[in-house]
Amino acid sequence: TLLVEISILGARLDHLIDCFKYINQQEEILDINWVTIFSSSDPCIPAYIPTVARVNEKHLAQRQIIGRRLEECFNEIVVAKNTLIHYVEMNKSFSEELKSEGCLNLAKDKLMICKAESLLIERLKAFSAEKNYRD
C-alpha cells in the first residue's frame, strides 16, 4: 500500500503544480490589466480598479493555499520515502531468510522488489534534493 500511496502523492503533486502554473498565468494577465488601467487615458477605466483588485486578492489567497498544499505534499513524500527505506531493509533481510530456507524463487522475487523500491527511493531523494535547492 505504501507504493500506491507514493503514486497518489505523485499524482497529487502533479495536480498542485498544474494549479500553481495556472495561477501564475492568471497573475501575468492581471499584471497586464494593471498596466492597462494605469496607462489608460479613458476616464471609465478607473472604475475597474476595485474589480481587478478583488481578483488580484483572490489569486494571492489561492497562491498561498496552493503553496501550503505543495509544502504538505512535499513533507508527505519525505515521510513516505523514509518509510520505504525501512521497508527495503526489511525486504532485504526477508529475502536473505527465504534464500537460507531454500525458497530461492521467493527470495529472488523479494530481492527484485527491493531493487524497485531502492530505485524509487533514489528518485525520491533526488526530488527532495531538487525541492530543497529551489527553496
Side-chain angles (χ1 to χ4, degrees):
T1 59
L2 181 61
L3 296 177
V4 172
E5 180 183 332
I6 291 170
S7 176
I8 291 169
L9 285 170
R12 191 166 119 211
L13 180 64
D14 286 343
H15 175 71
L16 289 169
I17 289 170
D18 287 344
C19 289
F20 195 77
K21 288 178 182 177
Y22 175 77
I23 288 171
N24 282 340
Q25 291 170 347
Q26 295 302 309
E27 286 178 3
E28 289 174 12
I29 293 169
L30 281 170
D31 289 344
I32 293 168
N33 286 336
W34 281 119
V35 169
T36 302
I37 286 171
F38 290 114
S39 64
S40 175
S41 59
D42 184 341
C44 295
I45 293 292
Y48 293 105
I49 290 175
T51 302
V52 175
R54 278 193 304 276
V55 171
N56 193 47
E57 288 174 11
K58 178 182 171 186
H59 279 273
L60 289 174
Q62 288 174 339
R63 177 187 270 264
Q64 290 174 345
I65 290 168
I66 296 297
R68 282 193 303 270
R69 289 184 180 167
L70 278 166
E71 190 64 34
E72 290 168 4
C73 191
F74 287 133
N75 292 338
E76 289 178 44
I77 288 171
V78 169
V79 169
K81 176 196 69 174
N82 293 336
T83 303
L84 189 58
I85 289 169
H86 177 70
Y87 281 15
V88 168
E89 293 168 4
M90 288 184 350
N91 283 332
K92 281 182 184 177
S93 176
F94 191 48
S95 175
E96 290 170 11
E97 288 178 32
L98 287 168
K99 188 175 179 181
S100 69
E101 293 294 325
C103 302
L104 300 179
N105 286 336
L106 285 175
K108 181 180 172 185
D109 291 345
K110 199 51 112 167
L111 195 57
M112 285 176 53
I113 291 171
C114 286
K115 289 179 182 179
E117 290 171 336
S118 295
L119 288 172
L120 181 55
I121 289 168
E122 292 308 312
R123 298 277 311 265
L124 292 173
K125 283 181 180 177
F127 171 76
S128 296
E130 182 179 319
K131 188 261 179 205
N132 289 333
Y133 174 75
R134 281 186 267 143
D135 286 346

